[in-house]
Structure formats: C-alpha cells, structure tokens
Amino acid sequence: LKQQLKKKQPSWKSLGTNKKGSVMGLVLIGCGKMGGAMLAGWLEQGVEKETIRIIEKDAAYGESLNAKFGVRVLDDIEKLEEDFDAELVVLAVKPQVMDDVVLGCKHLATKSNFISIAAGKTVSYFEGILGEEAKIIRVMPNTPAAVGRGMSVAFANQNVSSKIKETCTNLLAAIGQVSWLSDEALMDAVTAVSGSGPAYVFYMTECLAQAGVKAGLPEDQAMTLARATVCGAGELMFQSEESASQLRINVTSPGGTTQAALEVLMGPDGILKPMEEAIKAAEVRSKELAG
Ligand SMILES: NC(=O)c1ccc[n+]([C@@H]2O[C@H](COP(=O)([O-])OP(=O)(O)OC[C@H]3O[C@@H](n4cnc5c(N)ncnc54)[C@H](OP(=O)(O)O)[C@@H]3O)[C@@H](O)[C@H]2O)c1
C-alpha cells in the first residue's frame, strides 16, 4: 500500500519558493479531522515544520497540537511573524464559522492564496469578503482522506497561478488523489459523487451483509464477509490498472454465479437508476445548501 501511495503521489519536501526566492509558508486555520489529516500527510511527506503555522484559538488544544505535530501554533492570525511568508492559507474550519475566519484574513487578501475545503462555500463567497483580486482555490475532499486515500476535487479562480495550482496538487496529494475542475458549477455533482460517496459504499456494505443474513449466514459473519469484500474489491481496483468494468468482467464466468447476480443488479430494476436518483438528490441538496 505504501508503495502504491508513493507511486501515485509526487515527492516534495517544501512548498517551493516565492518570487523573492524565500521558502513559501502555509497557515492552517482549523486543525480538526480534515485539517489534522492534511497536516499529518504534509509532515509525512517531509514538508519542513518551520514553514507551517496553525491558528487555533483554544490554548489547551493549541498546546496539544504543538505537542503532537511539533508545528508552531498561534491563537490569532494577526500574530503571524512579520517575516513569515503566508503564501498559502488553508481554511479547514466548518462552514458555520467561515465568515469570522475569512474576515480575520482580510489583511492577507492581496498577498496569500486561499485554499478552502469547506462544503458549499463558493469562490464568489470568498471574493465577496476578500475582494475580486483574491486568489481562491475551492476544494471538496472526502473522509477517506483520514487514511491517505481521499479524493479531492479542486477549482481555482482566474487569479491563481499555475505554480500555486501545482503546489496545491502536491498538498492535496498528501491525503489521496487530486482532480481539477474547470467549471465550478460541477462542484455540486462532485459533492454528490465523491464527497458523499463513501456513505453510499458503507450502505452498500450493510445491504450486502443483510442479504447474507437472509441467505442464512450469522449476522457477525455476514458483516465480516461483506466488509472484507468491499475493502478487498476497493483495494484491487486501487492497485489495478484495469477499469472497473474490466475487473467485473474478469470475475464473471459465463453462466456462473456472479453472472446470475449481476443480471439482477444490472437489469431494468437494478441499481443504476436508484444510483442516478441518489446522485441527483445530493446534487440538488448541495445547490440548496450553497444558497
Ligand atoms: N470531514 C469531512 O469528511 C469533510 C469532507 C469534505 C469537506 N469537509 C470540510 O472540511 C471542513 C472541516 O471539517 P472537519 O470535519 O475537519 O471539522 P472539525 O473536525 O470540526 O475541524 C474544524 C476545526 O476548526 C477549528 N476552528 C473553529 N473555529 C476556528 C477559528 N476561528 N480559528 C481556528 N480554528 C477554528 C475547530 O476547533 P473547535 O473544535 O475548538 O471549534 C476544529 O478543530 C468543513 O468546512 C467541512 O465542510 C469535511
């Protein structure tokens, strides 16, 4: 697995240099589940701790972050050292507190690149607070980021340079795979497919286990089988160069048991239509939440 991850992730040690040649700095605001996973990934990649600052208001939590990661923690972004080059500001707080956090970054609006991972917060929302010249990247990650296997999809406004986009790709590669959008409107579809997607796979696992119970297996054993099968199939797909369809064909002998099951799953009352409806529902909800 480690080898696979290495193969898929570029190797990089620092965030690069700015126009003046000094090493770029990164400010992480919000070091919870997602921010913490990203930070762990960056440090594992060898990014120098001195190039990162964490902003955390709660003193006790700040101390625990400092002890855990060895990265300097400040309780206010206004307290950044004057010679700290805040080229990148990663906004990893909940959408509900974003207004306050972004307002607090206004003094960096013309200097920094802002990378937001908050669901539903659009580029124009950030431009509305930081100004139209602000450099904004909006990212939708998903929960497997916690184990380095996330899918992050990013969109940048026209003010962001290609060099910064490349740095952002490296930053996100620390928590999994990265893909870029050229049309922000597709972010709702992204949210519906990869953002919410892990939950569909968990539910599919539950269904597989329940069907196993109906077929006579003890509940525990049915869940063990279902879970291991989903994890194993996911890992096989991750490691293989072959498409999902080809992997399916590879395990479907003509006239065999898999084919019998797939005729149901792929038939007129199969899972494609409910899946399309589910994605549509999530997409609609994503649009509603963004207002
Ligand atoms: N988790 C996911 O699967 C996922 C997927 C896609 C996108 N996202 C997005 O990622 C963002 C973070 O989610 P999360 O799950 O990582 O949330 P989380 O675990 O609650 O982390 C947010 C962190 O931000 C801190 N914080 C709050 N206000 C702050 C402030 N003013 N200054 C500095 N730090 C502050 C919180 O501290 P306190 O706890 O002390 O308030 C907490 O440590 C959200 O916008 C979410 O939409 C998450």
Side-chain angles (χ1 to χ4, degrees):
L1 169 63
K2 284 235 155 157
Q3 266 175 349
Q4 279 293 323
L5 286 172
K6 272 197 191 122
K7 201 177 80 183
K8 297 211 171 182
Q9 291 172 359
S11 147
W12 59 299
K13 292 266 176 223
S14 84
L15 304 168
T17 50
N18 65 9
K19 286 186 197 121
K20 288 177 250 152
S22 60
V23 176
M24 297 198 290
L26 180 152
V27 182
L28 174 64
I29 311 183
C31 194
K33 286 187 282 298
M34 203 50 93
M38 288 196 290
L39 179 61
W42 302 331
L43 298 177
E44 204 175 298
Q45 299 267 336
V47 175
E48 291 98 351
K49 295 178 177 176
E50 302 72 48
T51 63
I52 303 176
R53 297 288 179 273
I54 300 171
I55 309 298
E56 170 55 52
K57 289 206 182 307
D58 185 278
Y61 186 52
E63 264 174 44
S64 73
L65 289 173
N66 178 262
K68 183 172 175 193
F69 296 109
V71 170
R72 184 173 293 181
V73 180
L74 304 167
D75 63 5
D76 193 331
I77 195 158
E78 295 277 357
K79 294 188 184 164
L80 274 180
E81 305 92 311
E82 258 178 40
D83 61 351
F84 187 84
D85 181 20
E87 187 89 21
L88 299 150
V89 177
V90 178
L91 304 163
V93 296
K94 294 272 188 206
Q96 306 86 279
V97 299
M98 195 56 94
D99 285 3
D100 282 351
V101 168
V102 184
L103 279 168
C105 294
K106 273 194 97 162
H107 61 295
L108 296 171
T110 54
K111 173 190 163 67
S112 305
N113 291 272
F114 293 87
I115 303 173
S116 160
I117 62 161
K121 291 291 180 195
T122 61
V123 161
S124 67
Y125 161 83
F126 293 101
E127 288 173 348
I129 303 176
L130 298 168
E132 295 213 333
E133 301 299 305
K135 298 174 277 264
I136 315 288
I137 299 171
R138 176 183 173 194
V139 182
M140 170 51 66
N142 65 6
T143 45
V147 291
R149 291 280 288 273
M151 178 70 239
S152 299
V153 184
F155 171 79
N157 72 358
Q158 72 285 356
N159 306 327
V160 178
S161 70
S162 51
K163 189 178 169 201
I164 292 294
K165 282 173 79 172
E166 199 185 312
T167 303
C168 184
T169 300
N170 286 337
L171 286 171
L172 296 170
I175 50 165
Q177 296 184 47
V178 189
S179 177
W180 285 86
L181 283 180
S182 51
D183 178 3
E184 191 185 4
L186 289 174
M187 210 44 115
D188 298 305
V190 166
T191 305
V193 175
S194 57
S196 303
Y200 318 155
V201 177
F202 300 141
Y203 182 60
M204 211 188 73
T205 311
E206 293 174 64
C207 290
L208 188 54
Q210 273 180 37
V213 171
K214 205 159 191 186
L217 290 167
E219 209 171 307
D220 278 8
Q221 200 171 24
M223 183 45 88
T224 302
L225 266 60
R227 197 176 168 132
T229 302
V230 171
C231 295
E235 188 58 33
L236 187 60
M237 201 153 40
F238 181 70
Q239 292 196 24
S240 175
E241 306 272 312
E242 292 184 303
S243 67
S245 314
Q246 190 56 50
L247 288 168
R248 169 176 54 75
I249 291 163
N250 293 350
V251 293
T252 312
S253 325
T257 54
T258 311
Q259 187 179 345
L262 286 174
E263 275 167 13
V264 178
L265 295 173
M266 297 170 76
D269 296 322
I271 58 176
L272 180 59
K273 201 162 165 274
M275 186 61 86
E276 285 172 353
E277 283 168 12
I279 296 302
K280 189 78 220 156
E283 200 188 346
V284 167
R285 187 72 186 126
S286 172
K287 283 194 174 78
E288 282 168 8
L289 291 174

